């Protein structure tokens, strides 16, 4: 297969972890006979510095013309500490999601047998967890208008808005995911308080009869926050709005033992995008110590969701599992004195795939 992949390394550790994913994708291409072409483009603080905009038009065109986008991370402390900054790197991420129509962020949570003991949660509670969040990504309070301050600057407001159409397309994807999995769908909302949540619940209730094989549960977000770490195995597919999904998926990453391991796929109207959920981790930038596995596993999701190449995806996750078993890991996961550099883990994985 011919594949054109846009590379958006972004900020912080983004470039380092993307470089490892590139090694792995090259190894897959060679092994399975695919012709893979990468095209790099700028985003985030790096793009603000270069051209004054965190998601330049040129970058958008590169994404639109590619078959998939591999994305690193966005964010820079220079902007975090300056609330008056006019342009912020995160705006680029939000604009990219919106313009590419990436309305569904697929964030799986699973455990790795060799890492279960790393989680702060009890083994018997988490072992065998296999759930997936579909976080709505282009609506809700992240995008709603009006937003801002009153004239005196003494009040600030954000607006949470959802249309039936926005809820329905995400919910249908949730039902379809559930049908391919354990057939349990949980609609996470705050319908006891919020009007938008009541529309979510009403819409999901209306669709449910079309998917008779799927059991639907409705649960308030505060209760999910609790039960998710108490009994994660009780969940299969969870659908939720943008902000709830942002928060709950960070919480869910604790189940797997490390945020450095969790990949994601953003799906929607245009080119699909794949990114680790960990963010730019500026403290580690440039040190060759960041864990590249979430990005490498995002590349595995790319083969699965963008190209429907399941053997390729599995070859990557097998190599990752082996690296965890053998302790070829970065310092955040290392048990004893031996740890590997970001680039060494990438080299090892690529070699493993080539020789497997
Ligand atoms: C994420 C991040 C982003 C979000 C930030 C960086 C804007 O936390 O992808 O989860 O809130 O969506
Ligand atoms: Mn987040």
């Amino acid at each position: 297969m011919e594949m054109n992949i846009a590379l958006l390394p972004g900020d912080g550790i983004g470039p380092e972890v993307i470089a490892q994913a590139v090694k792995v994708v090259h190894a897959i291409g060679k092994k399975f006979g695919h012709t893979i072409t990468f095209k790099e483009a700028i985003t985030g603080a790096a793009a603000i510095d270069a051209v004054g905009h965190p998601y330049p038009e040129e970058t958008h065109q590169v994404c639109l013309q590619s078959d998939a986008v591999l994305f690193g991370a966005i964010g820079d402390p220079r902007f975090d500490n300056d609330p008056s900054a006019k342009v912020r790197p995160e705006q680029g991420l939000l604009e990219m999601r919106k313009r590419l129509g990436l309305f569904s962020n697929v964030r799986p949570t699973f455990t790795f047998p060799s890492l279960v003991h790393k989680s702060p949660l009890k083994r018997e509670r988490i072992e065998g967890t296999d759930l997936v969040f579909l976080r709505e990504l282009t609506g809700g309070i992240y995008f709603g208008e009006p937003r801002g301050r009153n004239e005196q600057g003494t009040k600030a407001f954000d607006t949470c808005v959802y249309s039936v159409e926005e809820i329905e397309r995400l919910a249908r994807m949730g039902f379809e995911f559930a049908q391919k999995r354990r057939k349990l769908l949980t609609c996470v909302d705050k319908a006891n308080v919020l009007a938008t949540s009541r529309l979510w619940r009403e819409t999901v209730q209306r669709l449910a009869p079309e998917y008779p094989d799927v059991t639907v549960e409705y649960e308030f977000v505060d209760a999910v926050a609790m039960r998710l770490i108490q009994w994660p195995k009780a969940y299969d597919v969870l659908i939720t709005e943008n902000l709830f999904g942002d928060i709950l998926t960070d919480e869910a990453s604790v189940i797997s033992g490390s945020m450095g391991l969790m990949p994601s796929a953003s799906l929607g109207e245009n080119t699909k995008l794949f990114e680790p959920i960990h963010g730019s981790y500026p403290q580690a930038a440039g040190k060759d110590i960041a864990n590249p596995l979430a990005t490498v596993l995002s590349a595995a999701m790319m083969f699965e969701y963008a190209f429907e190449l399941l053997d390729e995806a599995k070859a990557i996750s097998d190599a990752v599992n082996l690296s965890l078993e053998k302790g070829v890991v970065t310092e955040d996961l290392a048990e004893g004195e031996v740890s590997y550099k970001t680039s060494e883990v990438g080299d090892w994985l690529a070699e493993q795939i080539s020789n497997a």
Side-chain angles (χ1 to χ4, degrees):
M1 194 188 270
E2 298 236 345
M3 304 172 193
N4 290 304
I5 299 172
L7 286 181
L8 273 50
D11 303 324
I13 58 169
E16 295 161 63
V17 291
I18 284 287
Q20 311 321 312
V22 167
K23 291 177 191 169
V24 165
V25 171
H26 269 311
I28 291 285
K30 227 171 174 185
K31 186 169 182 84
F32 291 87
H34 303 301
T35 312
I36 302 175
T37 314
F38 292 105
K39 191 153 190 188
E40 203 169 312
I42 53 174
T43 47
I48 296 178
D49 291 342
V51 298
H53 194 286
Y55 185 59
E57 181 58 34
E58 206 183 316
T59 297
H60 183 56
Q61 292 306 323
V62 171
C63 292
L64 281 181
Q65 284 151 23
S66 301
D67 302 314
V69 181
L70 257 183
F71 181 86
I74 265 186
D76 188 305
R78 277 185 292 149
F79 298 87
D80 296 342
N81 302 330
D82 176 11
S84 68
K86 289 272 172 307
V87 265
R88 338 191 121 262
E90 288 78 6
Q91 286 164 351
L93 184 59
L94 300 186
E95 193 180 324
M96 178 179 77
R97 289 170 176 170
K98 194 72 169 180
R99 293 187 70 192
L100 292 175
L102 300 169
F103 63 82
S104 176
N105 187 212
V106 182
R107 293 188 169 186
T109 295
F110 43 86
T111 51
F112 298 84
S114 51
L115 285 185
V116 174
H117 65 287
K118 284 253 172 207
S119 173
L121 305 171
K122 289 200 179 83
R123 171 181 283 271
E124 64 271 21
R125 296 290 179 114
I126 59 167
E127 206 160 37
T129 296
D130 177 15
L131 59 86
V132 60
F133 273 92
L134 267 59
R135 165 189 175 193
E136 202 290 327
L137 204 58
T138 51
I141 202 162
Y142 272 61
F143 293 93
E145 297 285 350
R147 55 175 53 231
R149 299 254 177 122
N150 67 352
E151 266 175 32
Q152 299 85 348
T154 51
K155 271 189 192 168
F157 42 91
D158 297 285
T159 308
C160 185
V161 194
Y162 270 109
S163 67
V164 169
E165 192 202 350
E166 285 174 307
I167 300 166
E168 184 166 333
R169 63 186 180 180
L170 194 274
R172 284 197 185 280
M173 201 184 269
F175 278 109
E176 284 158 21
F177 266 68
Q179 281 181 324
K180 291 192 199 125
R181 295 172 45 102
R182 301 194 307 280
K183 301 187 172 48
L184 173 64
L185 182 72
T186 307
C187 173
V188 183
D189 63 36
K190 188 73 187 170
N192 50 346
V193 178
L194 301 177
T196 41
S197 280
R198 285 193 282 277
L199 189 61
W200 270 77
R201 202 171 270 219
E202 196 182 296
T203 304
V204 175
Q205 279 169 345
R206 175 170 55 78
L207 297 177
E210 292 182 42
Y211 305 88
D213 51 334
V214 176
T215 303
V216 188
E217 286 178 349
Y218 302 87
E219 198 172 342
F220 296 139
V221 60
D222 47 352
V224 173
M226 181 177 65
R227 206 153 70 93
L228 182 61
I229 46 170
Q230 257 178 344
W231 295 111
K233 282 181 260 190
Y235 296 106
D236 179 15
V237 180
L238 302 98
I239 51 172
T240 193
E241 64 104 72
N242 204 341
L243 182 61
F244 297 163
D246 178 47
I247 298 166
L248 291 176
T249 52
D250 268 25
E251 185 191 354
S253 73
V254 174
I255 297 164
S256 73
S258 168
M259 221 191 186
L261 293 169
M262 290 290 106
S264 86
S266 297
L267 316 177
E269 292 158 8
N270 294 304
T271 319
K272 300 178 172 73
L273 180 140
F274 302 86
E275 65 170 306
I277 80 160
H278 52 55
S280 60
Y281 191 19
Q283 302 87 334
K287 296 189 181 152
D288 204 15
I289 57 169
N291 186 342
L293 295 183
T295 313
V296 168
L297 289 170
S298 297
M301 286 188 92
M302 175 183 81
F303 282 107
E304 181 177 351
Y305 289 94
F307 303 115
E308 288 170 30
L309 295 171
L310 299 184
D311 290 342
E312 284 78 344
K314 186 167 180 301
I316 296 178
S317 48
D318 284 351
V320 166
N321 274 320
L322 202 65
S323 77
L324 292 172
E325 269 166 42
K326 294 202 178 296
V328 184
V329 292
T330 41
E331 61 182 34
D332 53 308
L333 294 178
E335 301 272 69
E337 270 147 37
V338 189
S339 71
Y340 291 75
K341 295 285 179 194
T342 310
S343 53
E344 290 171 336
V345 174
D347 290 337
W348 191 92
L349 291 169
E351 205 179 302
Q352 191 56 43
I353 288 166
S354 309
N355 299 335

